[in-house]
Amino acid sequence: MTVTHRKRTANDAEKDIAEAGVKYHCDPCSQNITDTVRIRCAVCSDFDLCVRCFCSGAELGKHKNWHDYRVMEQHSFPIFDADWGADEELLLIEGSETFGIGNWQDIADHVGSKTRDECEAHYLQIYVNSETWPLPDMHKKFDMDPEAQAARKRQRLAMRKSRVTAPVKAQKPMTSQPANHEIAGYMPGRLEFETEYENEAEQTVKDMIFSEEDTPEEVDLKLMVLEIYNAKLNKRLERRKFVFERGFLEYKKNQSAEKKRSPKEKELINSVRVFAQLQTPEDYDKFVEGLLKEMQLRERIAELQEFRANGLTTLAAGHEYVREKANRTSLRHLISSSVLNDRRNARPLPQRSNIDETLSPRGSASANKSAPPVRKPANPLNIQNAEGIHLLTLPEQALCSTLRIFPKSYMIIKEQLLKEHARLGGLKRRQARELIKIDVNKTGKIYDFFVEAGWVQNSDA
């Protein structure tokens, strides 16, 4: 048996309308037996024969003429609707399972004898809006002659073949464009985001199973988990609705509007954006417009007060003042930048001492002996708010500030030196430097401070 699925395209719409649906062909002779009685082998899988090949005992491949068989008739009799045969109902259900509810064009192509609108209307009327939902009305009876029913079906097929439809214009497929997908993480074809709110919410319910062996406590616990999951879904929908209503996905439009605003307006809008969740879109827009208007009025009032402070009484004089002020500011920047460039390009003048040494007979010898550079002492460290400052005396605080040591580090150094002094009965400067691995100058000053304070006895003396 050969089964083909034909779909309608934009180029050959009329031909596809006539040949749409599931087609059955005789395996030995390849004759189209879709609309006639066919013989199906009960042993071989998917092997159909026409009546002529069956009567002649045709064999092909593993099929033998002595195999069991079934006669497959055309079930054109109605079961739920007078205009729908049982075979069409079966094709409708198969198409719905294969292509999914909503893909009515593909389902109509699978049925072959119905249009897209007919398939959708029939499914909604018989299966969705049924009085005996979730099942259709199984007690309907139709007193119709099978020959008349088959004639009506052939008439519908003939009308479908002769139907002339306008060519379908090829539409650009809906894709996730960069403005919506790569930047905002939004997929317009699915109306979803790549990362949703509570993105891991499904992890708690994906493996949940209700069984008859569950205790009432386990059932209550699972129901509570489902309630929490539904609450997360509601919050996710609220946030998604908020993004859609506020137009946050219109990236180019928002970007162009953002460029037209001044830095102060951008800062103001960003600071009040948190109130958008508490207001409707219209109220929030009015709220932002009011704040921007207030800021503009304050700036204008400040500008007029500046005019008045400078003795200006007319708007023309004020505009002239603003223009002159801008010119002075630009001129000041120009002068400062030129002075800075001159300083960078200028060579330093030689000092008087260097000139004398160069002119003196011994200048060359003295120039070779350069004086060592004088190290500038570091600024004292401000430790007034440092941790542990209250544990130090005023001289210790001054010592830490001068040596740029925090009180907490000084307390550790002090503890180590006093413990070593108590253990040895005395402490040398060299031992203190070996014990404390910091700058030797700082260690020496701390050692001298302890000796002067009488906390450490110098073993060198």
Side-chain angles (χ1 to χ4, degrees):
M1 177 194 68
T2 304
V3 181
T4 59
H5 297 269
R6 299 297 305 275
K7 294 184 180 181
R8 182 173 58 186
T9 62
N11 297 329
D12 52 354
E14 299 180 12
K15 181 179 179 181
D16 286 344
I17 288 175
E19 299 181 0
V22 179
K23 303 296 180 182
Y24 297 95
H25 294 81
C26 177
D27 286 271
C29 66
S30 300
Q31 181 183 357
N32 187 358
I33 54 176
T34 303
D35 299 327
T36 61
V37 178
R38 67 182 185 275
I39 309 300
R40 169 164 293 185
C41 180
V43 178
C44 304
S45 60
D46 294 338
F47 193 92
D48 290 347
L49 299 93
C50 62
V51 177
R52 181 178 299 177
C53 292
F54 175 75
C55 294
S56 62
E59 296 182 350
L60 180 66
K62 296 182 179 180
H63 175 72
K64 303 300 179 181
N65 54 16
W66 46 266
H67 283 175
D68 297 337
Y69 63 91
R70 291 183 297 172
V71 178
M72 309 298 294
E73 297 181 0
Q74 288 293 312
H75 303 299
S76 58
F77 55 88
I79 53 177
F80 302 132
D81 192 329
D83 294 332
W84 282 71
D87 53 348
E88 294 172 332
E89 297 283 356
L90 180 60
L91 292 174
L92 177 65
I93 299 302
E94 289 179 352
S96 302
E97 292 178 349
T98 304
F99 303 105
I101 301 299
N103 296 322
W104 300 112
Q105 185 58 57
D106 294 335
I107 295 174
D109 294 338
H110 185 78
V111 175
S113 59
K114 301 293 182 180
T115 63
R116 169 182 176 177
D117 296 335
E118 291 174 347
C119 291
E120 181 179 3
H122 180 75
Y123 185 86
L124 295 177
Q125 178 183 358
I126 300 301
Y127 297 97
V128 177
N129 301 326
S130 173
E131 297 180 355
T132 59
W133 187 88
L135 296 177
D137 189 359
M138 307 296 292
H139 302 288
K140 288 185 177 181
K141 295 182 179 180
F142 300 91
D143 296 333
M144 297 181 64
D145 186 9
E147 295 294 335
Q149 181 66 23
R152 292 182 60 180
K153 183 176 181 180
R154 287 193 295 270
Q155 183 180 2
R156 289 198 305 270
L157 290 174
M159 292 177 59
R160 186 175 177 85
K161 293 179 182 179
S162 61
R163 184 181 302 157
V164 179
T165 58
V168 180
K169 184 178 180 181
Q171 297 181 355
K172 186 177 181 180
M174 182 178 294
T175 58
S176 297
Q177 300 296 333
N180 290 332
H181 179 66
E182 296 180 1
I183 298 177
Y186 175 62
M187 296 172 286
R190 300 174 56 183
L191 299 179
E192 294 179 354
F193 294 89
E194 290 183 358
T195 304
E196 296 279 359
Y197 173 77
E198 294 287 351
N199 200 44
E200 304 296 332
E202 286 75 13
Q203 298 295 328
T204 58
V205 298
K206 66 174 185 177
D207 298 327
M208 183 181 296
I209 299 176
F210 286 87
S211 62
E212 298 179 355
E213 299 177 357
D214 292 343
T215 61
E217 292 78 8
E218 292 177 346
V219 173
D220 294 340
L221 179 60
K222 292 180 179 180
L223 292 177
M224 185 175 296
V225 172
L226 289 177
E227 184 177 356
I228 296 173
Y229 172 68
N230 290 330
K232 292 181 179 179
L233 291 183
N234 292 334
K235 292 182 179 179
R236 182 184 296 176
L237 293 177
E238 291 176 0
R239 281 158 174 78
R240 190 184 302 170
K241 180 181 178 182
F242 177 79
V243 172
F244 293 159
E245 290 181 351
R246 302 308 169 96
F248 292 158
L249 298 176
E250 300 176 1
Y251 177 75
K252 294 183 178 179
K253 180 180 178 181
N254 296 334
Q255 190 179 32
S256 61
E258 191 80 7
K259 291 180 179 179
K260 298 178 182 179
R261 301 189 182 277
S262 62
K264 292 184 179 180
E265 292 179 348
K266 294 179 183 179
E267 183 179 359
L268 176 62
I269 293 176
N270 291 332
S271 62
V272 300
R273 190 165 288 176
V274 66
F275 298 104
Q277 298 183 3
L278 307 177
Q279 298 173 318
T280 61
E282 295 78 11
D283 294 341
Y284 177 72
D285 293 339
K286 293 180 180 179
F287 174 65
V288 173
E289 291 177 0
L291 292 178
L292 294 176
K293 186 66 175 178
E294 179 188 3
M295 185 181 67
Q296 295 173 0
L297 292 175
R298 288 181 180 274
E299 292 178 352
R300 183 58 176 169
I301 291 173
E303 186 180 18
L304 294 176
Q305 289 177 348
E306 184 181 0
F307 293 166
R308 179 62 62 86
N310 288 275
L312 305 177
T313 57
T314 61
L315 292 178
H319 295 328
E320 184 67 22
Y321 168 78
V322 172
R323 186 164 52 252
E324 291 295 334
K325 182 179 179 181
N327 293 336
R328 288 195 302 270
T329 303
S330 60
L331 182 60
R332 187 180 300 110
H333 287 309
L334 181 61
I335 293 174
S336 60
S337 60
S338 62
V339 171
L340 182 60
N341 293 332
D342 293 341
R343 289 180 178 178
R344 290 176 178 176
N345 298 329
R347 295 181 178 180
L349 295 176
Q351 298 181 2
R352 182 65 183 176
S353 58
N354 295 336
I355 295 175
D356 295 340
E357 292 176 356
T358 305
L359 297 177
S360 62
R362 297 176 296 177
S364 59
S366 61
N368 296 332
K369 298 180 181 180
S370 58
V374 180
R375 184 177 181 182
K376 183 179 179 181
N379 296 327
L381 180 65
N382 185 9
I383 59 173
Q384 295 300 324
N385 298 326
E387 183 180 1
I389 186 66
H390 62 283
L391 301 176
L392 305 182
T393 61
L394 294 178
E396 288 179 311
Q397 295 179 13
L399 177 65
C400 292
S401 179
T402 304
L403 300 181
R404 301 182 63 83
I405 299 177
F406 285 98
K408 191 172 182 180
S409 302
Y410 170 77
M411 294 296 294
I412 296 175
I413 295 173
K414 180 180 178 181
E415 182 181 4
Q416 294 293 332
L417 292 178
L418 294 181
K419 284 184 177 181
E420 189 69 14
H421 176 267
R423 187 177 67 85
L424 301 176
L427 189 64
K428 298 181 181 180
R429 184 185 298 270
R430 177 178 56 79
Q431 294 174 342
R433 290 178 177 177
E434 293 176 355
L435 182 63
I436 306 301
K437 302 297 183 180
I438 61 174
D439 188 4
V440 294
N441 296 326
K442 292 184 179 181
T443 306
K445 292 181 180 180
I446 294 174
Y447 179 82
D448 295 336
F449 178 82
F450 286 359
V451 172
E452 293 177 2
W455 298 340
V456 173
Q457 182 178 359
N458 189 356
S459 300
D460 297 333

